Amino acid sequence: MSSICVYCSSSNAIADAYPPVAEALGQEMGRRGHELVYGGGAVGLMGVLAEAAHEAGGTVTGVIPSKLQSREGIAYDADELIVTDTMRERKRIMYQNADAFAVLPGGYGTLEEFMEVLTLKQLGYHDRPIAILNADGFYDTLFSFFEELRDGRFARAAATDLVEVVSSAEAALDRIERVAASDGQVT
Ligand code: AMP
C-alpha cells in the first residue's frame, strides 16, 4: 500500500469527459488499498476523486488551508483532514506524506504543484514516481513545450525521463506500483 498524492482540478465547470477519470482513479486506488492524499476540497475533480476513493474503501487524507476551508467547505469523506495556516504549509505536508504523485487534468494550481515535484525530482531532492494521467491528450501541448525546453537546453532532462505519462487510472497505478517494486521506495 502506498500513499499517493493526487493533484487535480478544483473546477466544477470543466467538460463532462474529466470527472469519470477522477472517479476511476479514486475507485482503483481504493480497490488496490492505496491511501489518497489530496488538497482536501469537495470541489471539481478533487471532490469526485475523494468520494470515489472513500466509497471504494480507501483511506482519504485531505490537507487544506483554513482560508479555502471556510470558502468552499471540505471533503466530507476525508478520514483525516489536516487544516493548515498557509498554502505553502499545505503543499509541504502533502509532499511529505506521499510515496508517489499522480497528476490529473487541472489548471494553474495543479500545474504549480506538478512543476514543484517535477523540479525537485530533476534536482535530485526525491526519486518518487510521478504519474501524469494524460486523459484525452490533455497534457500533449505542455509536453511538446517541455520538448522545446529540452531541445533548447533550458531543461537538462526530458520530462518523459522524470515522469510516467499514462492515459488511464489503471496504467497510472500499474506504473507507480512497478517503480515501487523495482526500487523498493514505495511499499
Ligand atoms: P486548479 O488546478 O487551479 O483547479 O487547482 C487545483 C489544485 O490546487 C489542487 O490539486 C489543490 O491541491 C489546489 N487547490 C486549488 N484550489 C483549491 C481549492 N479551492 N480547494 C482546495 N485545493 C485547491
Side-chain angles (χ1 to χ4, degrees):
M1 179 202 141
S2 303
S3 289
I4 303 176
C5 177
V6 181
Y7 303 127
C8 61
S9 176
S10 60
S11 171
N12 287 321
I14 56 178
D16 293 345
Y18 298 111
V21 178
E23 187 176 19
L25 183 65
Q27 279 172 352
E28 196 63 13
M29 284 180 64
R31 201 177 65 73
R32 299 192 192 195
H34 296 301
E35 176 190 5
L36 169 65
V37 177
Y38 87 115
V43 288
L45 297 185
M46 303 170 72
V48 173
L49 171 77
E51 188 173 343
H54 176 75
E55 281 180 5
T59 303
V60 176
T61 298
V63 189
I64 194 163
S66 50
K67 182 176 171 180
L68 292 183
Q69 183 191 17
S70 50
R71 198 172 74 190
E72 285 160 14
I74 53 164
Y76 56 87
D77 42 13
D79 296 286
E80 184 182 7
L81 189 74
I82 301 169
V83 181
T84 64
D85 288 336
T86 64
M87 281 291 271
R88 271 180 202 281
E89 172 71 350
R90 182 260 206 119
K91 270 202 306 171
R92 188 182 63 77
I93 291 172
M94 289 170 73
Y95 175 79
Q96 280 181 345
N97 281 286
D99 300 309
F101 305 92
V103 183
L104 294 176
Y108 302 137
T110 302
L111 286 178
E112 193 256 343
E113 293 166 329
F114 169 41
M115 292 312 303
E116 180 171 273
V117 292
L118 177 65
T119 307
L120 291 173
K121 188 163 183 176
Q122 175 175 246
L123 294 172
Y125 282 96
H126 76 85
D127 195 25
R128 293 174 252 169
I130 304 171
I132 310 297
L133 222 164
N134 191 26
D136 267 345
F138 181 84
Y139 283 115
D140 283 353
T141 47
L142 183 66
F143 275 86
S144 60
F145 182 59
F146 284 169
E147 274 172 36
E148 287 181 32
L149 295 183
R150 164 73 178 160
D151 291 347
R153 304 287 188 267
F154 287 97
R156 261 178 273 157
T160 45
D161 289 344
L162 297 168
V163 304
E164 316 288 330
V165 185
V166 295
S167 53
S168 72
E170 289 81 3
L173 296 180
D174 287 349
R175 291 282 190 95
I176 285 172
E177 290 167 3
R178 200 173 315 144
V179 173
S182 64
D183 65 12
Q185 285 178 49
V186 186
T187 54

